[in-house]
Amino acid sequence: AGVVIIPNKNLWMLIIYGFISPFIYGFITNLSMLPYIQGSAFIPLWISGLGFDFIHAVSTVVFIIILYKPFQMLLQNRNKYI
């Protein structure tokens, strides 16, 4: 959340983070399935989820691009009153 307060300098870092984080989240979520599957089935499970992770990553980037300016203005206005 603190990244959004700094104007324009960190937009690209936020976009890169927004693209990478769904893949990390998907990997961690798939790790939670290890007690229920055999170890050799983990890689196919992870690969099968990459499509969903990619769609999640692209939609996150789109929402960051669309909502960056409104949230930046909202947080700057909020900081005036603190």
Side-chain angles (χ1 to χ4, degrees):
V3 176
V4 180
I5 297 173
I6 301 170
N8 293 330
K9 287 187 177 182
N10 290 327
L11 177 61
W12 286 106
M13 285 181 38
L14 189 62
I15 288 172
I16 292 169
Y17 174 75
F19 188 79
I20 292 173
S21 62
F23 292 102
I24 296 169
Y25 175 78
F27 181 77
I28 292 171
T29 304
N30 288 333
L31 280 177
S32 70
M33 291 299 294
L34 277 178
Y36 307 107
I37 62 172
Q38 295 177 354
S40 61
F42 175 74
I43 292 185
L45 175 69
W46 177 63
I47 291 173
S48 69
L50 285 178
F52 175 77
D53 295 340
F54 180 75
I55 293 170
H56 189 189
V58 170
S59 63
T60 301
V61 168
V62 168
F63 282 117
I64 287 172
I65 292 170
I66 292 171
L67 297 174
Y68 181 77
K69 280 287 189 192
F71 273 101
Q72 182 184 20
M73 290 172 41
L74 182 70
L75 290 173
Q76 284 176 349
N77 288 338
R78 182 181 166 267
N79 287 338
K80 289 179 186 176
Y81 301 109
I82 293 179

